[in-house]
């Protein structure tokens, strides 16, 4: 037994420490493509804060890198192992410790699955809004690490806005408590927010106080077909400029619509260039959809179909939820995550079409249109090295376009390994230097998720 | 002329540099009591980003401390000068550079007054919600520095939630651009949020991209009288637990109500122990007020009076807005700013009453009750050293109570000089060490607002 494993076992039960390469190999990577992954020396599954502290103390003592993991549903390689590391899986720490309807807070361990929390708080008439596509399997710790978004963000915001306070085990094993349980608080620098989106590079989140909201009313969805992405984006801008706050505003381009039809036989309209879904969970959603329907028609929609009820609404949302699985049936996929000001959305989507043409590739775009957050999905044949290279080039071209339009290289998926070089470009040298400085304050030995983010 | 002034004049016009002690003395302090203030060597009023950079380069070259200032309406001494410093007043940088109704953003310079921005965006059907009491005079830069709140936060949140991106001049004069113009973005550590509430200790905010919201409907207000603060707080908890989201929920205790009556002759009910104001800006505010009125009665309200219209609503809100001026007529005041989980609000308010008794002082409490954010106002005779000492003790006892109840020493006023020692207590040694480490990354020479916050 190695020194590392021996020391780990001093503070962890034997079944929480895995070294069998067949087992550890399963923990090498998340769901990102085009990212390297190393071989972990050991995978640990602590069940308590004290055990996490023991792991970090051990790592510090032996100078072993640590890669924290949740459900490994991430799309940027942030959870990929590095050679010889400890993979620190938080999935066993999955208790919901408290739900408080008066304070509208939930206190949870990091391994709680997003959907489990959502259902638990729903029983109290409350909602935890952030709803990434992987919500049935991704964990709150992973959501915090990557700063996850989802479909609801246009009205309800992203993970960062729901994290009030954290317990964090630092690189050296000390426990830090940040933030608050109160609705407001400005005591010192906002360390809580610093950990959101830090992808495990600043410390290990072992407990989170989350803000909840009253459960919204069921949403009613409208579908609108457009003869061009430009006209669909005009409609998006018109809706936002006229003061509406939809609970969801999603766009699927023709490539995506066809892929969904091919998989699901949903019979979505294939003749349109862009399908826009808009939802409201307001007191009178039908009236709001009427108003938005008018704006869509004025922007050039050829067909506007409001759902009559919740069942029809669910069907339309299901089409959107199947977009990525449907694209994945067409070949190997790489999903990008570029957000632009919503006033630039048309330029972004048309620009992606031009990039697809230029690289001779299929790229389908679905977008959280209300947020200007696009997910171009590049499809390619991984067995064809030239095509794979073109895929990677087009992926990068999409990020370059996003920055050119005043956007960001990542709206909600994070940086990880996949976008590390692009992050440097977005931040510039001054920003990068400060970010590295902050990282050194928290992790002077560079043990936490080395090689990721900055 | 000193070297400092000579160098400053190389990059600033003469009328932007003041050294006359009669002039500079006016820039010594903000509105906090019990805080030391030094004598500035010079007060500068730059008008451009380049001029701010010149000031910081000069300060770095000569190792002169710099104290940034907005309108000096702060309540924690964060803007107080230190001896020999450069006071860097941002009030001349007061342009609104852009308002974009599609992206729902405003781009502003730091010296823009909150109310000026609010009115400008209202002309586009938009709102910038954070509304500190000083909103007619305080600046956006100051709001960002202190992380300001206000009356609307129970529904619309605090300043931090509206700052998307910043341009910041660093201590050495370099320009940093943080954040984004997009609705979403997770590229790297959230430096933007780090600057909010940093009270000018990390850099000089010279431009901000702010998120806006559609202008809400006019709010309708209900007043409810309670025979005890406990029953009023029960009502607050019941309203929140039952899923309502008021646009305002304010509590005034009897001392405060009497003070307002004495000043304004508003004829508020003086026999009640607590007056609760609840407002809705929903599509049907009267229905929501009905429901809340029922909850108030169930919690023990002796009288429930919904306003019939906007004029009556304004009158009730005016009573709340006059609370602090009214208390200031009773003597010298010190306003505290302790936030607790709203489930602990009754314990907090009753605890403050006990502290007032114990110290033989008048302490009136008004509270952003929906946020659990109390503002106990300690009244004392500043000419009586013993009473002033008791006032300071009671002020500290209030903070101790807030921490005991799981709260924070500051909900929205910030730390500054006033609460620096208490911040250390709230953060604990690990948190404090990390906060200091972050500060050193941004300001290794310790020139920015020295002696404040951490």
């Amino acid at each position: 037994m190695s020194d590392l494993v021996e020391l780990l076992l001093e503070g962890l039960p034997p079944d929480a420490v895995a070294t069998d390469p067949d087992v550890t190999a399963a923990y090498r990577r998340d769901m990102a493509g085009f990212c390297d992954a190393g071989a972990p020396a050991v995978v640990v599954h602590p069940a308590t804060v004290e055990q996490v502290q023991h792991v970090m103390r051990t790592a510090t003592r032996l100078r072993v890198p640590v890669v924290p993991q949740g459900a490994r549903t991430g799309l940027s390689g942030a959870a990929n192992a590095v050679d010889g590391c400890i993979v620190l899986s938080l999935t066993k720490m999955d208790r919901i410790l408290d739900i408080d309807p008066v304070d509208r807070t939930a206190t949870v361990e990091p391994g709680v699955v997003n959907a489990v929390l959502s259902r638990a708080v729903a029983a109290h008439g409350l909602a935890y809004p952030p709803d990434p596509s992987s919500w049935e399997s991704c964990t709150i710790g992973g959501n915090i690490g990557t700063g996850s978004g989802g479909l609801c963000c246009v009205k309800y915001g992203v993970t960062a806005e729901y994290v009030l306070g954290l317990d964090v085990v630092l690189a050296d094993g000390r426990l830090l408590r940040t933030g608050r349980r109160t609705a407001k608080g400005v005591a010192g620098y906002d360390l809580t927010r610093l950990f959101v989106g830090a992808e495990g590079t600043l410390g290990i989140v072992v407990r989170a106080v989350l803000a909840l909201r009253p459960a919204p009313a069921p949403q009613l969805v409208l579908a609108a077909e457009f003869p061009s992405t430009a006209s669909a984006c005009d409609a998006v801008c018109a809706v936002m400029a006229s003061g509406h706050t939809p609970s969801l505003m999603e766009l699927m381009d023709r490539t995506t619509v066809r892929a969904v039809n091919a998989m699901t036989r949903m019979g979505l309209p294939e003749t349109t260039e862009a399908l826009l879904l808009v939802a409201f969970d307001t007191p009178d959603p039908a009236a709001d959809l009427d108003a938005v329907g008018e704006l869509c028609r004025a922007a050039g929609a050829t067909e506007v179909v409001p759902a009559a009820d919740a069942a029809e609404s669910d069907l339309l949302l299901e089409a959107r939820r199947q977009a990525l699985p449907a694209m994945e049936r067409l070949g190997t996929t790489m999903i990008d995550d570029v957000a632009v000001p919503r006033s630039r959305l048309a330029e972004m989507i048309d620009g992606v079409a031009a990039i697809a043409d230029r690289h001779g590739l299929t790229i389908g775009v679905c977008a959280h249109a209300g947020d200007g957050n696009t997910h171009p999905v590049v499809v390619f044949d991984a067995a064809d090295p030239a095509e794979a290279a073109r895929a990677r080039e087009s992926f990068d071209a999409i990020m370059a376009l996003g920055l050119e339009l005043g956007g960001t290289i990542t709206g909600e998926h994070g940086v990880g390994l996949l976008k590390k070089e692009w992050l440097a470009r977005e931040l510039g040298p001054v920003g990068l230097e400060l970010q590295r400085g902050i990282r050194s304050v928290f992790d002077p030995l560079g043990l936490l998720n080395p090689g990721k983010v900055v």
Side-chain angles (χ1 to χ4, degrees), chain A:
Chain A
M1 204 171 357
S2 70
D3 282 359
L4 171 61
V5 172
E6 209 166 304
L7 276 172
L8 286 170
L9 284 170
E10 284 178 16
L12 289 167
D15 65 353
V17 181
T19 52
D20 179 342
D22 289 345
V23 174
T24 61
Y27 293 84
R28 288 187 64 196
R29 53 171 74 248
D30 63 22
M31 292 179 69
F34 285 89
C35 291
D36 291 335
V42 55
V43 174
V44 296
H45 283 100
T48 67
V49 173
E50 293 68 27
Q51 289 177 4
V52 175
Q53 292 185 281
H54 174 72
V55 171
M56 292 313 306
R57 273 190 223 106
T58 304
T60 291
R61 184 164 155 194
L62 301 181
R63 305 289 194 268
V64 179
V66 175
V67 176
Q69 287 184 352
R72 285 176 292 112
T73 54
L75 292 165
S76 70
N80 282 14
V82 297
D83 280 332
C85 76
I86 302 170
V87 161
L88 175 51
S89 171
L90 281 309
T91 52
K92 291 280 186 293
M93 295 180 67
D94 63 352
R95 289 178 304 160
I96 297 173
L97 302 168
D98 180 54
I99 295 172
D100 188 323
V102 169
D103 291 324
R104 291 186 186 163
T105 55
T107 306
V108 304
E109 292 185 328
V112 173
V113 168
N114 182 299
V116 171
L117 176 64
S118 292
R119 289 185 194 115
V121 305
H124 296 266
L126 294 165
Y128 176 71
D131 59 345
S133 300
S134 54
W135 73 301
E136 288 282 6
S137 51
C138 64
T139 64
I140 296 298
N143 294 171
I144 292 171
T146 55
S148 302
L151 299 184
C152 71
C153 305
V154 61
K155 180 165 183 180
Y156 295 109
V158 295
T159 297
E161 292 165 56
Y162 292 90
V163 184
L164 297 178
L166 295 171
D167 285 3
V168 179
V169 174
L170 299 173
D172 60 12
R174 287 184 300 171
L175 187 65
L176 169 71
R177 177 159 288 187
T178 75
R180 56 190 211 268
R181 300 191 51 94
T182 51
K184 288 153 93 177
V186 289
Y189 306 135
D190 191 343
L191 299 190
T192 306
R193 189 70 169 241
L194 211 47
F195 284 102
V196 179
E199 300 181 356
T201 62
L202 301 180
I204 311 292
V205 171
V206 290
R207 192 166 295 185
V209 181
L210 304 173
L212 305 174
R213 298 180 65 102
Q219 53 187 1
L220 209 57
V221 180
L222 167 151
E225 303 171 30
F226 289 87
S228 67
T229 49
S231 57
C233 294
D234 282 350
V236 170
C237 292
V239 169
M240 300 308 283
S242 60
H244 292 285
T245 303
S247 51
L248 169 151
M249 186 149 53
E250 296 289 316
L251 184 148
M252 297 159 71
D253 72 354
R254 189 172 57 166
T255 305
T256 309
V257 167
R258 289 185 175 194
V260 170
N261 273 347
M263 184 174 80
T264 66
R265 298 197 170 72
M266 277 187 176
L268 300 172
E270 299 203 351
T271 52
T272 53
E273 285 298 316
L275 184 68
L276 189 66
L277 302 177
V278 187
F280 285 91
D281 57 6
T282 47
D284 189 355
D288 289 312
L289 289 186
D290 273 355
V292 162
E294 277 313 306
L295 293 171
C296 287
R297 275 189 207 95
T302 50
E303 190 87 50
V304 173
V305 187
D309 54 28
E312 274 184 42
S313 294
D314 282 349
L315 198 68
L316 288 170
L317 292 186
E318 188 55 22
R320 168 61 184 85
R321 293 232 179 239
Q322 293 305 324
L324 188 56
M327 292 298 291
E328 284 169 348
R329 282 166 38 111
L330 304 183
T332 300
T333 56
M334 265 194 99
I335 179 166
D336 214 330
D337 169 43
V338 170
V340 294
R342 61 176 79 89
S343 55
R344 313 300 294 272
L345 190 59
E347 290 165 83
M348 183 70 209
I349 296 178
D350 288 341
V352 171
I355 289 168
D357 280 352
R358 204 157 65 234
H359 291 82
L361 290 165
T362 297
I363 306 181
V365 177
C366 56
H368 308 308
D371 292 320
N373 188 184
T374 65
H375 290 312
V377 179
V378 182
V379 182
F380 62 100
D381 177 357
D384 177 345
E387 189 165 312
R390 290 206 311 280
R392 176 76 225 199
E393 281 164 31
S394 69
F395 188 86
D396 286 347
I398 290 166
M399 281 188 280
L401 176 62
L403 289 184
E404 212 181 292
L405 295 174
T408 172
I409 57 160
T410 175
E412 57 183 9
H413 291 176
V415 175
L417 290 170
L418 188 63
K419 299 188 168 184
K420 204 178 141 186
E421 322 228 314
W422 281 94
L423 181 68
R425 227 192 277 198
E426 178 165 339
L427 296 182
V430 179
L432 198 64
E433 180 189 315
L434 291 168
Q435 299 238 350
R436 287 190 173 135
I438 288 172
R439 185 169 182 164
S440 293
V441 168
F442 286 85
D443 181 20
L445 299 174
L447 300 176
L448 282 168
N449 218 0
K452 315 290 171 64
V453 194
V454 288

